[in-house]
């Protein structure tokens, strides 16, 4: 992990909850000066760990990060997952685009970890960050994680329900499934956690929905880089 972080230009964290802002993992990061872009809750948890270069965003705000080699990345925060009561602030989704000065077409990416989003916020971000155009890559869950039994179940992660709507909005070239359902879990709630949807049936789903301009690529193993042809 340390080798990967040594080459990292920016660390983005979209939620302040333990499974996103994971204190044991963050405590093990040796370079606490790595640029971080996150929300207020996560920033409050990271500062006591020694992270010193944190940019805090709320939906509608944006920043530009300069990388180690001089490249620049524009990051626009959108309204992401609602993980509490309806009156609580939403977590973050992030639209990211290279800031290019050499005439090359900049690459762009959208990341949100629950496939839960506010369409209006996302469209405003698309206009600000991408001039209203499509995004190159979407990183999103494609499977739903449910909590509960039967009709009373609550959809914690909404990949199976919202994926098609998200892809119609952003029109990406590449969908990179976020496999956050594929994990080892323990505790009293695990007996009523279950998944809805099929990560291996996504390409067929896109074909049925007429989203044939989007291709599905799967993540590389942990610690390995993934190169995407755009």
């Amino acid at each position: 992990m340390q080798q990967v972080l040594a080459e990292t230009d920016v660390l983005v964290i979209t939620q302040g909850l333990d499974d996103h802002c994971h204190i044991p993992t963050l405590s093990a990061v040796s370079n606490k000066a790595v640029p971080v872009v996150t929300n207020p809750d996560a920033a409050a948890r990271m500062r006591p760990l020694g992270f010193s270069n944190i940019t805090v965003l709320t939906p509608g705000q944006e920043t530009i990060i300069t990388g180690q080699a001089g490249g620049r990345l524009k990051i626009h925060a959108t309204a992401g997952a609602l993980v509490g009561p309806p009156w609580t602030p939403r977590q973050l989704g992030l639209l990211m685009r290279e800031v290019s000065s050499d005439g090359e077409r900049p690459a762009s990416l959208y990341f949100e970890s629950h496939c839960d989003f506010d369409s209006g916020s996302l469209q405003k971000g698309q206009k600000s960050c991408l001039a209203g155009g499509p995004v190159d890559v979407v990183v999103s869950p494609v499977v739903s994680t449910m909590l509960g039994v039967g009709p009373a179940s609550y959809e914690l992660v909404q990949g199976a329900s919202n994926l098609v709507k998200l892809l119609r909005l952003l029109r990406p070239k590449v969908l990179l499934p976020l496999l956050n359902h594929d994990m080892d879990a323990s505790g009293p709630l695990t007996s009523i956690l279950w998944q809805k949807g099929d990560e291996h049936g996504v390409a067929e789903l896109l074909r049925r929905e007429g989203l044939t301009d989007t291709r599905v690529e799967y993540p590389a193993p942990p610690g390995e880089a993934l190169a995407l042809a755009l």
Side-chain angles (χ1 to χ4, degrees):
M1 183 180 72
Q2 301 300 344
Q3 181 179 354
V4 173
L5 285 170
E7 302 170 357
T8 296
D9 291 313
V10 60
L11 175 63
V12 297
I13 298 179
T14 57
Q15 298 190 23
L17 301 176
D18 283 343
D19 57 333
H20 297 262
C21 185
H22 188 241
I23 298 303
T25 299
L26 293 170
S27 298
V29 175
S30 58
N31 178 20
K32 297 296 198 298
V34 62
V36 176
V37 175
T38 191
N39 70 356
D41 291 343
R45 302 187 71 197
M46 295 178 72
R47 289 191 184 101
L49 301 179
F51 286 90
S52 58
N53 190 4
I54 301 176
T55 299
V56 176
L57 296 181
T58 57
Q61 296 181 327
E62 57 189 31
T63 188
I64 293 179
I65 299 294
T66 300
Q68 299 175 48
R72 296 191 299 159
L73 184 70
K74 183 176 184 178
I75 302 178
H76 182 101
T78 63
L82 181 66
V83 295
W87 56 85
T88 57
R90 283 182 173 264
Q91 306 293 322
L92 296 185
L94 295 174
L95 278 165
M96 295 173 261
R97 177 180 61 81
E98 290 179 306
V99 179
S100 176
S101 58
D102 57 8
E104 291 188 7
R105 182 185 177 278
S108 57
L109 180 145
Y110 172 73
F111 168 61
E112 199 284 317
S113 54
H114 281 207
C115 201
D116 184 7
F117 54 91
D118 177 87
S119 297
S121 173
L122 190 52
Q123 288 172 321
K124 288 179 181 177
Q126 193 176 9
K127 183 176 180 180
S128 174
C129 193
L130 307 175
V135 71
D136 289 317
V137 180
V138 163
V139 181
S140 172
V142 298
V143 171
S144 291
T145 298
M146 312 296 294
L147 175 65
V149 179
S153 297
Y154 177 74
E155 196 170 15
L156 293 171
V157 177
Q158 302 177 24
S161 298
N162 286 345
L163 179 65
V164 169
K165 180 181 178 182
L166 176 65
L167 298 182
R168 290 197 193 284
L169 277 172
L170 293 180
R171 297 165 284 147
K173 295 179 181 178
V174 177
L175 167 64
L176 189 64
L178 185 63
L179 305 180
N180 47 351
H181 64 283
D182 185 13
M183 62 179 180
D184 295 325
S186 61
L189 294 180
T190 56
S191 62
I192 55 172
L193 277 176
W194 53 283
Q195 277 71 48
K196 180 176 70 174
D198 176 15
E199 68 183 77
H200 300 294
V202 175
E204 174 60 21
L205 171 66
L206 300 191
R207 188 194 66 78
R208 291 199 311 267
E209 295 291 338
L211 295 165
T212 53
D213 290 336
T214 299
R215 74 178 191 272
V216 182
E217 300 273 1
Y218 285 90
E224 294 186 17
L226 175 67
L228 295 174
L230 301 177

